């Protein structure tokens, strides 16, 4: 287990996620609101499920950074210019790796990394708005699936991690689809 602490956005995003899940399925309200394991940043070893704000406790900084680095390696090597260039125009690969990893560290219970919270997140997304559509979301997920498959060995050390990562990605894809007004993208349930 890696030590955890709330970040700038951890609890905000956790609470938004819980409200989102209750809106989607009101029968989950009791189990989401009445379990201290759900609210904890530390993944309970006996729990059948973990939540994304508990992932830092399982993966730690190095594994999360490896995942994000693999992802942006894929993005910056993309053969589709329209997609790759949207990222290149806003910063080099190290810039994107730092921003994404800090966001993930913070959201996943690793502490105060993402200074600026949701306001900064929305600003960064507006910088790549030309790919915040259905086509861009599908391309982004293409690279994320490749990244998760590449890192399957570290992600499958705990069988709860991959389903949690897919749930994390679906939650944010749902949010972005509404915010940027594009068609809903359904995340595959397995890798």
């Amino acid at each position: 287990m890696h030590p955890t602490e709330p970040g700038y956005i951890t609890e905000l995003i956790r609470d938004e996620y819980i409200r989102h899940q209750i809106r989607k399925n009101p029968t989950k309200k009791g189990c989401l609101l009445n379990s201290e394991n759900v609210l904890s940043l530390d993944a309970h070893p006996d729990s059948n499920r973990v939540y994304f704000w508990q992932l830092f406790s399982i993966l730690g900084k190095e594994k999360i950074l490896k995942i994000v680095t693999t992802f942006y390696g894929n993005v910056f090597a993309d053969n589709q210019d329209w997609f790759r260039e949207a990222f290149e125009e806003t910063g080099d690969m190290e810039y994107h790796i730092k921003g994404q990893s800090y966001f993930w560290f913070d959201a996943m219970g690793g502490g105060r990394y993402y200074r600026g919270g949701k306001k900064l997140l929305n600003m960064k997304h507006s910088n790549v708005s030309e790919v915040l559509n259905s086509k861009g979301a599908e391309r982004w997920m293409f690279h994320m699936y490749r990244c998760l498959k590449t890192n399957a060995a570290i992600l499958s050390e705990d069988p709860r991690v991959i389903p949690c990562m897919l749930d994390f990605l679906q939650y944010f894809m749902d949010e972005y689809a509404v915010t940027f007004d594009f068609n809903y993208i359904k995340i595959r349930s397995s890798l």
Side-chain angles (χ1 to χ4, degrees):
M1 289 286 269
H2 299 272
T4 60
E5 61 180 287
Y8 294 105
I9 58 171
T10 316
E11 293 168 334
L12 171 71
I13 292 176
R14 178 199 66 201
D15 294 348
E16 287 176 356
Y17 170 87
I18 290 171
R19 284 192 298 276
H20 174 81
Q21 293 302 317
I22 291 170
R23 276 193 308 274
K24 280 177 49 177
N25 187 351
T27 61
K28 289 184 178 182
K29 183 176 183 176
C31 68
L32 285 170
L33 296 179
N34 297 325
S35 170
E36 67 182 64
N37 288 342
V38 170
L39 299 179
S40 174
L41 296 180
D42 297 314
H44 192 277
D46 296 331
S47 176
N48 291 329
R49 176 184 179 157
V50 295
Y51 296 90
F52 66 81
W53 52 89
Q54 300 169 336
L55 284 172
F56 193 90
S57 71
I58 297 170
L59 296 173
K61 193 174 186 177
E62 285 182 28
K63 290 177 182 175
I64 293 170
L65 182 59
K66 182 173 173 54
I67 294 163
V68 172
T69 300
T70 302
F71 173 74
Y72 278 106
N74 293 342
V75 168
F76 275 75
D78 194 305
N79 62 0
Q80 296 190 20
D81 295 342
W82 66 272
F83 186 80
R84 183 190 66 256
E85 289 172 357
F87 291 91
E88 290 173 340
E89 290 170 2
T90 60
D92 63 13
M93 192 162 82
E94 293 306 314
Y95 166 82
H96 288 282
I97 290 169
K98 181 179 179 183
Q100 186 79 43
S101 61
Y102 278 21
F103 175 73
W104 281 22
F105 295 158
D106 198 303
M108 293 178 178
R112 301 177 131 225
Y113 280 92
Y114 204 71
R115 191 183 311 269
K118 293 276 293 230
K119 184 177 179 181
L120 177 62
L121 181 65
N122 291 335
M123 183 198 71
K124 286 188 175 204
H125 286 138
S126 68
N127 290 337
V128 291
S129 60
E130 62 272 19
V131 297
L132 285 165
N133 53 45
S134 294
K135 184 179 174 184
E138 286 176 19
R139 193 73 188 156
W140 194 92
M141 281 309 305
F142 167 77
H143 289 301
M144 185 53 70
Y145 284 128
R146 283 182 59 210
C147 163
L148 296 177
K149 286 179 183 179
T150 299
N151 290 287
I154 62 172
L155 292 171
S156 61
E157 290 172 1
D158 183 323
R160 304 171 298 174
V161 169
I162 290 176
C164 181
M165 287 292 294
L166 295 173
D167 184 55
F168 172 71
L169 295 169
Q170 185 67 64
Y171 168 69
F172 279 99
M173 198 57 70
D174 290 350
E175 293 294 307
Y176 300 153
V178 170
T179 302
F180 296 99
D181 194 28
F182 63 82
N183 291 332
Y184 170 80
I185 303 295
K186 177 73 173 139
I187 305 297
R188 293 191 310 243
S189 62
S190 63
L191 290 176

